[in-house]
Amino acid sequence: MPVNYLASGFKHPTNFGLEMASIQDKGTWSGRFAEPVAELVKRYTASVDFDHKLALFDIQGSHAHAQMLAECSIIAMQDLADIQRGLAQIEQEVISGEFAWSLDLEDVHLNIEKRLTTLVGDAGKRLHTGRSRNDQVATDIRLYLRSAVDDLSKLIKSLQTSILDLAEQHTRTIMPGFTHLQVAQPISFAHHLMAYYEMLKRDAERLIDCRKRVNRLPLGAAALAGTSYPIKRERVAELLGFEAVCENSLDAVSDRDFAIEFTACAALIMTHLSRFSEELILWMSPMVGFIDIADRFCTGSSIMPQKKNPDVPELVRGKTGRVNGHLVALLTLMKGQPLAYNKDNQEDKEPLFDTVDTLTQTLRIYADMIAGITVKPEAMRRAALQGYATATDLADYLVKKGLPFRDAHEAVALAVRFAEQRGCDLSDISLVELQNFSALIEDDIYQVLSLEGSLASRNHIGGTAPNQVQAAIARARTRLATS
Ligand code: ARG
């Protein structure tokens, strides 16, 4: 199995020395060039200050490429041994932060190759046989993203577990369900929470599906047309744990669909968490008071001593805009590009990296924040009793007694108007008075008008009845344990 560097807690070093030698001793790209690249251009075109993040994946890819080259007798076994030794040392230098990154060497690939050659001589220069930075960078990004997807899938699971743990305690905690932010019908707090579990369930499925298209090997495509060496791409795929190779060399070096797809998945996850955040903010407002968020997720005000602000959910809502922006950036990056590789593609990394980082931090903090919520059932109940939340139950009661639904709807509308004028709930109206709206009403109506009765009656899969929500939670637990 390939090492999961993100999961191992690896921190990317940030020491960029500008002091190292340029690629060629004369300071030019190659003998083809009459003068060195201008300093400003060098800074403009370099990517090392962000793509160093790919270093360990680049090394992983080089190990597999070199191994295949040796197995196919394209390089000598001794060269392979030297390359392996050099790469192992570079890996240590990168992990410890000692590796001296050079802007003169443009990107992560050239930095590592130059260091390898310094360490092991000619064998280092042979590593790039049959390879181009075009297929190399596409491979590195896929290795990086596959690892990120696996980490994120675990984080989604732990957030789902936090939601289930909270929901479990509240299958009988009644709150108003809203449409148009107006009180609609009573539901349980658990039922409301489980809606977010479902969104995250789809998000997890989407990531698994996206992973299939991330997990394809570009190496072997070389610059764009393939290579004249007798390479074995399937062997490299096997060594790196890729499911298959990219089947067209031009597509292999130019495709970034997988990055767009991933960012779309990420944008949707953030969008779900942004909606959740909006509710948490609302619920925590003293005007609503349904919940409290633990102090460690809130901040105070520099001027108003009484304030406790829900900064974390607000920032999640804000950062969603940033991830959605990355999606648009990546789509726009690709839309005008002719085949095959173009330097434009270097611009794929920052949006992608920032998407992974933002989503990782958000999911991590969210799971803890949900676990730290204090629920205020009395406030929820009070709100559910305020908005004639059981009016539909009264209409359904009349329908079950034979009244056509539209007539029942009208009868209840008149009853609600009556209650409103009197300033009371439907359940406070006496039986005799209720019978003015329909002679079908009998004294079993009061059970129907109660919040508990309303919940219990929605007793089918997907409904808010406590036993149904309990069953949904149990199904979710089984699913999480087996997925
Ligand atoms: N730094 C480059 C990138 O991120 C690597 C590929 C460079 N290839 C090239 N033909 N200039 O895309």
Side-chain angles (χ1 to χ4, degrees), residues 45 111 387:
T45 54
N111 267 269

Side-chain angles (χ1 to χ4, degrees), residues 9 71 89 259 296 391:
E71 285 174 11
Q89 175 166 341
R296 62 184 180 282

Side-chain angles (χ1 to χ4, degrees), residues 253-301:
V253 292
S254 68
D255 170 35
R256 294 294 182 273
D257 291 1
F258 64 91
I260 294 174
E261 233 184 297
F262 167 78
T263 309
C265 295
L268 206 41
I269 300 170
M270 289 298 293
T271 298
H272 291 152
L273 296 183
S274 183
R275 295 185 69 182
F276 202 172
S277 296
E278 172 65 12
E279 301 212 292
L280 296 180
I281 295 163
L282 206 63
W283 293 344
M284 194 181 132
S285 155
M287 292 182 303
V288 177
F290 286 1
I291 61 159
D292 204 6
I293 296 177
D295 287 0
R296 62 184 180 282
F297 298 100
C298 301
T299 61
S301 155

